[in-house]
Amino acid sequence: MKKPKLQLALDQNSLPEAVAVAHLAGPIVDIVEVGTILELQAGQLAIQTMRKMLPDKMIVSDTKCADAGTTVAENSSKAGADLMTVIDSATQATMQAAKKVMLGIQVELYSAWDFKRAAKWLELGIDQVIYHQSRDALLAGKSWGEQDLTTVRQLIEMGFKVSVTGGLTLKTIPLFAGLAVETFIAGRAITGNSDVRAAAQAFQDKIIEHWGTNV
Amino acid sequence: MKKPKLQLALDQNSLPEAVAVAHLAGPIVDIVEVGTILELQAGQLAIQTMRKMLPDKMIVSDTKCADAGTTVAENSSKAGADLMTVIDSATQATMQAAKKVMLGIQVELYSAWDFKRAAKWLELGIDQVIYHQSRDALLAGKSWGEQDLTTVRQLIEMGFKVSVTGGLTLKTIPLFAGLAVETFIAGRAITGNSDVRAAAQAFQDKIIEHWGTNV
């Protein structure tokens, strides 16, 4: 089974803080995400900075685009992003517009989707989704369970490349063993450590332990 | 019936362009919105700029927040926004978190809502919604119809302050006559004119023509 990628979510409140983290952990991960919080704070300067700083990494613009798919995708693309997120409740028209501009469109699964709706995304050529525990749901005490894993499996079987995020730790990563997860996204589980470089490496090691190194 | 407010949506790709428009049309409108496109481009600097530039206007941070309600609301509030948008597919937990930080939370109605769901927002104390024709839907040829007006009426009767947006023009504003619309949001219908000041004034005049001047 292919090794899932490790994506570093940068959700700092300022670009200097994000750069400091990316400087250390960026070289270790596979994908660097300019998270929504950071992008709303620092704008496209954040994308441009990561693009220049880490030229060999995939860069995600986490816009959670809900409308104006063409413009948002053009702006993300111009700034140097390889991937962009759209929200599940965006219309088909918005998703299609974004997809025309940018190949790598990822649908964020919040509360506005079901498998029927997801099948339509595949028809548009959008085959990447992000399954997650909302941060606020996690704060309310919810965590990963069998139902989540079943849903992730079903999405993979439909043909989606599934990114998984929300409260992932070295303890929860093994729950997904045996599943062809495309990408694990970790934010504060990495950035909340005093040694973010070692924390990122520990995630990569844990992934390799369960999925091997084939890419 | 109370005069609906006029909200100027700034969706320029750069802050200088947005400032140029706000400089002329800002004093005429009731609310200035830092649109999602602009906020993703320029970050919170856009909110801070509008706050300082137009101290007596309401400022909207159009984050379409989907997660991390506390942080996004804190950042918008610190930058000077009075109102912030959340997406319909955000969880109740996210909306509640945002509402705890910022009184003025507006739910953007895309495809992830129904009246039952909306009733729960009211229970959280969130009584502002934004009903709109998506820009991409408009580009696909859809426009305002009887069904839209019926939905807006139902939301008002439920107790929502309803903002209306998407392809509004001087010709479509009168369609809402007799409805207690809270706010009309116009973007390119104002900013796409050579004289944006006159265009904003024409919107205000059209609203006053149908709703009067009571505020």
Side-chain angles (χ1 to χ4, degrees), chain A residues 109-150:
Chain A
L109 305 179
Y110 282 89
S111 65
W113 72 283
D114 54 29
F115 290 105
K116 194 177 151 197
R117 201 173 155 95
K120 287 190 186 157
W121 302 334
L122 285 174
E123 286 170 22
L124 296 178
I126 295 174
D127 65 352
Q128 300 184 50
V129 293
I130 301 175
Y131 183 87
H132 58 130
Q133 295 285 0
S134 125
R135 180 194 286 193
D136 294 312
L138 287 166
L139 288 176
K142 295 187 184 176
S143 187
W144 292 97
E146 196 52 49
Q147 183 57 51
D148 295 307
L149 299 174
T150 301

Side-chain angles (χ1 to χ4, degrees), chain A residues 13 37 39-45 63-64 66-72 75 87-91 93-94 97 110-112 117 132-137 140, chain B residues 13 37 39-45 63-64 66-72 75 87-91 93-94 97 110-112 117 132-137 140:
Chain A
N13 279 316
I37 290 171
E39 198 159 342
L40 288 170
Q41 288 287 94
Q44 291 302 322
L45 183 62
T63 59
K64 295 188 174 60
D67 205 352
T70 302
T71 303
V72 176
N75 289 344
I87 193 85
D88 54 357
S89 66
T91 60
T94 293
Y110 282 89
S111 65
R117 201 173 155 95
H132 58 130
Q133 295 285 0
S134 125
R135 180 194 286 193
D136 294 312
Chain B
N13 279 317
I37 291 171
E39 198 159 342
L40 289 170
Q41 289 288 95
Q44 291 302 323
L45 184 61
T63 59
K64 294 185 174 65
D67 205 352
T70 303
T71 304
V72 175
N75 288 345
I87 194 87
D88 53 357
S89 66
T91 61
T94 293
Y110 281 90
S111 65
R117 201 173 156 92
H132 57 130
Q133 295 287 359
S134 126
R135 181 193 287 194
D136 294 312

Side-chain angles (χ1 to χ4, degrees), chain B residues 60-125:
Chain B
V60 180
S61 175
D62 187 21
T63 59
K64 294 185 174 65
C65 178
D67 205 352
T70 303
T71 304
V72 175
E74 281 174 355
N75 288 345
S76 292
S77 181
K78 270 183 213 161
D82 306 291
L83 295 161
M84 182 182 109
T85 63
V86 297
I87 194 87
D88 53 357
S89 66
T91 61
Q92 296 272 107
T94 293
M95 292 194 189
Q96 194 161 22
K99 178 72 184 171
K100 275 186 190 161
V101 175
M102 206 158 178
L103 285 179
I105 297 296
Q106 307 184 302
V107 184
E108 294 252 14
L109 305 178
Y110 281 90
S111 65
W113 73 282
D114 53 30
F115 290 105
K116 193 176 152 196
R117 201 173 156 92
K120 289 190 184 158
W121 302 333
L122 285 174
E123 286 171 21
L124 296 177

Side-chain angles (χ1 to χ4, degrees), chain A residues 16-182:
Chain A
E17 291 171 281
V19 166
V21 169
H23 169 59
L24 297 169
I28 290 159
V29 302
D30 305 293
I31 305 176
V32 173
E33 169 198 326
V34 174
T36 314
I37 290 171
L38 176 60
E39 198 159 342
L40 288 170
Q41 288 287 94
Q44 291 302 322
L45 183 62
I47 306 277
Q48 292 161 11
T49 302
M50 293 305 147
R51 174 76 292 155
K52 288 285 184 191
M53 184 183 187
L54 300 161
D56 60 337
K57 301 295 176 184
M58 301 270 280
I59 307 292
V60 179
S61 175
D62 187 21
T63 59
K64 295 188 174 60
C65 177
D67 205 352
T70 302
T71 303
V72 176
E74 281 174 355
N75 289 344
S76 292
S77 181
K78 270 183 212 163
D82 306 291
L83 295 160
M84 183 183 110
T85 64
V86 297
I87 193 85
D88 54 357
S89 66
T91 60
Q92 296 272 108
T94 293
M95 293 196 189
Q96 193 161 22
K99 178 72 183 172
K100 275 187 190 162
V101 176
M102 208 158 176
L103 284 178
I105 297 295
Q106 306 184 304
V107 184
E108 296 251 14
L109 305 179
Y110 282 89
S111 65
W113 72 283
D114 54 29
F115 290 105
K116 194 177 151 197
R117 201 173 155 95
K120 287 190 186 157
W121 302 334
L122 285 174
E123 286 170 22
L124 296 178
I126 295 174
D127 65 352
Q128 300 184 50
V129 293
I130 301 175
Y131 183 87
H132 58 130
Q133 295 285 0
S134 125
R135 180 194 286 193
D136 294 312
L138 287 166
L139 288 176
K142 295 187 184 176
S143 187
W144 292 97
E146 196 52 49
Q147 183 57 51
D148 295 307
L149 299 174
T150 301
T151 306
V152 170
R153 184 179 297 111
Q154 284 178 285
L155 287 164
I156 293 170
E157 284 168 359
M158 280 179 79
F160 281 108
K161 295 175 183 168
V162 181
S163 296
V164 168
T165 187
L168 292 175
T169 64
L170 296 177
K171 281 186 185 158
T172 52
I173 292 280
L175 292 175
F176 299 86
L179 279 178
V181 169
E182 180 74 14

